[in-house]
Amino acid sequence: MLTLIIAESALETIPESLWNHPAIRKLSKTRRRHPNSILLDRSYHHVAMNKLENNEKRGRPDIVHFALLEALGSPLNKEKLLTTYVHTVQDVTIQVNREARLPRNYSRFVSLMEQLFQVGRVPPNSKEKPLLVLKHQTLQQLIKEAKTSHLLALTRSGRPKTLEETISNLAGFNKAGVLVGGFPKGHFTQAVTELADEVVCIDSEMLETWTVVSRVIYEFERALSLPKKRLSETRSSS
Amino acid sequence: MLTLIIAESALETIPESLWNHPAIRKLSKTRRRHPNSILLDRSYHHVAMNKLENNEKRGRPDIVHFALLEALGSPLNKEKLLTTYVHTVQDVTIQVNREARLPRNYSRFVSLMEQLFQVGRVPPNSKEKPLLVLKHQTLQQLIKEAKTSHLLALTRSGRPKTLEETISNLAGFNKAGVLVGGFPKGHFTQAVTELADEVVCIDSEMLETWTVVSRVIYEFERALSLPKKRLSETRSSS
């Protein structure tokens, strides 16, 4: 069982300090929505973001989008052995139902996230288990809730170790957890790495979030011999 | 050295048979562009695509987008050990410069592809090596040009074998090639699998293109002990 947390993710609605920026006011008028219900996106709000604090780590919803598609489409997830959370740079967390089929199209993903930030869950009124639930909580609170027994953080500032070795150790724990950064540049804040039991660097260069997510999950599957098990089912059922 | 070909990809401009569909005519008017310079996209042209031949395999530019991001961002590519091509369902091929930094934003990727389909290369007038070059050629012609010495095709209709075993064999060849399907549903046409030296199934369920691309590249890196080599460089340079 693996708990994946995409942490300090660059996913948020346009922050109050930008609401009066001319480009944002124009956008708000065109879209007929208040900026607090529009996702911050560097592709479109680059100029407005210039003066935003910590801006190199913010405004990249595409990172969460790709990373979630990698996670939810994995055999590990299909076997119900993966639990996925998103934690954002503004201390919002998103619990992702493993059966959620997220939109492949980016604009539709953005609309879904905007609805989630407004209503707190999607779909808003379903009687069944929601696909996504939003909470205002810190990473520390989320980790406590997820009850991981051993938490690994992957970051370039960690101890150099191959992913193979790292994950094969991790898979020995009953409720293993892993933190992968959901931002485009920079490092985890110290408060984040202090929450981890182990802090590891898996490559000499920065790797993209979706690449790390995909590799972590695949190594975890390998550690459980899942590829072989699933193929032998194919043989016996065909 | 690995040659990756994303084959029969769901990437094309709106085909002539749809140009007179009311939804497409309206779109063409709004965007002030002829449909032959707009990418076919199921997210927007779902209804118009209903009567299109073979439509379940077409109109998903996001698949090529994600798959290319996985390929170009990989350590294997950074080490200049990966060559990436896209082949489309309409027998167009795209040669991807390994140093291309593709837009992360989907709309910008679509604009880039539309320009590529119109002009045949991007950037259009650069004196330097272009980032993307388009050719009208079959997969067979592309493979001949790429001069692979052993070609693997991954498809659910292949022989069940773990990816680990498959790629560790493949890495023994001097110019290894792999075909991964760039379409959302269905199988390679027979003509495609007949071009391959080996046809393998790596999982009991359909996996998404970007997931397969990411895993193939990672296994190839492992077969070359690249993760260890790159980490030891970190140690010696730090």
Side-chain angles (χ1 to χ4, degrees), chain B residues 54-105:
Chain B
N54 211 4
N55 73 66
E56 79 288 352
K57 271 179 93 171
R58 298 166 71 175
R60 287 286 307 275
D62 60 297
I63 293 180
V64 170
H65 184 211
F66 287 14
L68 287 182
L69 288 180
E70 283 288 1
L72 296 173
S74 66
L76 192 69
N77 189 57
K78 290 174 187 183
E79 296 283 341
K80 305 192 198 310
L81 295 171
L82 178 69
T83 306
T84 308
Y85 297 94
V86 176
H87 161 262
T88 78
V89 75
Q90 304 288 58
D91 277 339
V92 160
T93 68
I94 300 168
Q95 193 180 336
V96 184
N97 182 334
R98 71 164 61 90
E99 280 162 29
R101 195 182 143 80
L102 294 183
R104 273 56 184 150
N105 178 274

Side-chain angles (χ1 to χ4, degrees), chain A residues 162 202-203, chain B residues 218 221-222 225-232:
Chain A
T162 63
I202 58 163
D203 194 69
Chain B
Y218 179 55
E221 289 175 17
R222 284 187 48 153
S225 302
L226 205 60
K228 260 187 202 158
K229 281 179 200 161
R230 285 171 60 91
L231 280 177
S232 67

Side-chain angles (χ1 to χ4, degrees), chain A residues 150-170 173 179 187-188 193 196-205, chain B residues 227-228 230-236 238:
Chain A
H150 188 84
L151 189 63
L152 164 74
L154 295 174
T155 161
R156 284 201 54 224
S157 64
R159 190 164 63 92
K161 196 171 163 186
T162 63
L163 187 65
E164 180 181 1
E165 196 189 335
T166 309
I167 301 294
S168 103
N169 292 344
L170 187 72
F173 289 89
L179 298 175
H187 295 280
F188 281 133
T193 46
D197 299 297
E198 197 183 358
V199 182
V200 168
C201 161
I202 58 163
D203 194 69
S204 56
E205 288 179 76
Chain B
K228 260 187 202 158
R230 285 171 60 91
L231 280 177
S232 67
E233 286 161 24
T234 317
R235 278 195 201 97
S236 55
S238 62

